[in-house]
Amino acid sequence: MLDTGLLIIRVVLGLLMVGHGAQKLFGWFGGYGLKGTGGWLDSIGVKPGVLMALAAGLSEAVGGLLFAAGLWTWLGAVLLIIPMIMAIAKVHGANGLWSTQNGYEYNLVLIAVFVGVALTGAGEWSIDALLK
């Protein structure tokens, strides 16, 4: 049961993070693409915006794929944690904890899950397990 639970967590969160990366990189799923995301990042003082949008999008897309597949799961988790820390530092942190006030609650939950899975391991239903 543990391995099935880890698989569900990895696939759902990993693929959702791939979607967030695709929003930034390609404008898919209602996103704004590199130019739009880059302009927004510039407006909040994260410069150069387009380069930072590219870095965030790649981090989320690659990290999400690794995490979902359970391939180098610790690296996927790190790649997903970095943009969450930036989101807390630059967007949500000043608003306090609760997401109802646009706070960092959701980002913190995601960080906890990514760290927890990285420390626990991806489980037997993963590429990491096949590579042992």
Side-chain angles (χ1 to χ4, degrees):
M1 294 302 250
L2 174 66
D3 296 316
T4 303
L6 287 167
L7 175 68
I8 292 167
I9 291 167
R10 284 193 352 263
V11 169
V12 169
L13 288 181
L15 293 180
L16 285 171
M17 294 308 294
V18 170
H20 279 281
Q23 288 176 321
K24 291 173 183 69
L25 295 171
F26 311 117
W28 296 353
F29 313 117
Y32 299 103
L34 285 175
K35 186 175 178 183
T37 304
W40 176 74
L41 288 172
D42 277 330
S43 78
I44 64 167
V46 179
K47 299 181 184 218
V50 172
L51 182 60
M52 294 293 102
L54 177 63
L58 287 173
S59 189
E60 290 171 347
V62 172
L65 286 172
L66 292 174
F67 196 79
L71 172 62
W72 305 323
T73 306
W74 66 270
L75 177 60
V78 168
L79 290 172
L80 294 171
I81 290 167
I82 291 168
M84 293 303 101
I85 291 172
M86 289 301 296
I88 291 169
K90 291 299 196 175
V91 180
H92 302 288
N95 300 319
L97 174 63
W98 302 112
S99 61
T100 51
Q101 279 76 47
N102 198 31
Y104 61 92
E105 173 186 8
Y106 179 67
N107 306 102
L108 186 60
V109 168
L110 289 176
I111 290 170
V113 172
F114 298 143
V115 169
V117 171
L119 292 175
T120 302
E124 290 303 312
W125 295 70
S126 67
I127 297 176
D128 285 345
L130 293 174
L131 296 176
K132 286 184 184 177

